[in-house]
């Protein structure tokens, strides 16, 4: 996903301008125009991205399996000193 740096304002709803054609199309049976609200393109894109992210699993089990197999075959070297130091550093910042 590419993040566009030019967007600086808040993302919100956009209500389109009424034209004679859209005013007739949105008229209610009570005689008044119905309020028509559309999502801004940015908000729509954010909602689609959120739905896609929500559909992804929390853990990539295929990747976990590949790493376990690589460890079992000694193809992936695990530096226990570096790992333990990284864990200590992580907990110092918390």
């Amino acid at each position: 996903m590419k993040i566009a740096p030019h967007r600086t304002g808040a993302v919100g709803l956009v209500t389109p301008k009424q034209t004679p054609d859209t005013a007739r199309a949105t008229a209610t049976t009570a005689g008044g125009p119905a309020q028509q609200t559309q999502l801004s393109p940015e908000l729509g894109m954010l909602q689609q991205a959120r739905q896609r992210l929500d559909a992804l699993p929390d853990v990539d089990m295929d990747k976990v399996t590949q790493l376990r197999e690589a460890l079992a075959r000694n193809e992936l070297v695990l530096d226990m000193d570096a790992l333990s130091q990284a864990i200590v550093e992580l907990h110092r910042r918390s």
Side-chain angles (χ1 to χ4, degrees):
M1 181 173 145
K2 184 176 181 181
I3 299 175
H6 62 280
R7 177 75 180 166
T8 58
V11 177
L13 298 176
V14 175
T15 303
K17 292 182 182 178
Q18 288 284 330
T19 65
D21 292 334
T22 59
R24 278 193 302 273
T26 59
T28 63
T29 56
Q35 185 164 357
Q36 181 182 16
T37 304
Q38 291 181 335
L39 298 178
S40 68
E42 293 87 359
L43 184 57
M45 288 172 39
L46 286 174
Q47 287 178 336
Q48 286 177 356
R50 182 61 191 198
Q51 289 171 349
R52 289 180 185 158
L53 284 173
D54 288 342
L56 293 175
D58 290 335
V59 177
D60 185 351
M61 293 309 294
D62 291 335
K63 187 69 166 181
V64 170
T65 302
Q66 290 174 358
L67 289 170
R68 282 183 179 164
E69 290 172 356
L71 280 169
R73 293 187 303 264
N74 290 324
E75 294 174 355
L76 184 64
V77 179
L78 184 58
D79 184 350
M80 294 303 288
D81 291 331
L83 178 61
S84 60
Q85 186 61 35
I87 292 171
V88 169
E89 289 298 321
L90 175 69
H91 288 286
R92 280 187 186 158
R93 288 184 238 157
S94 326

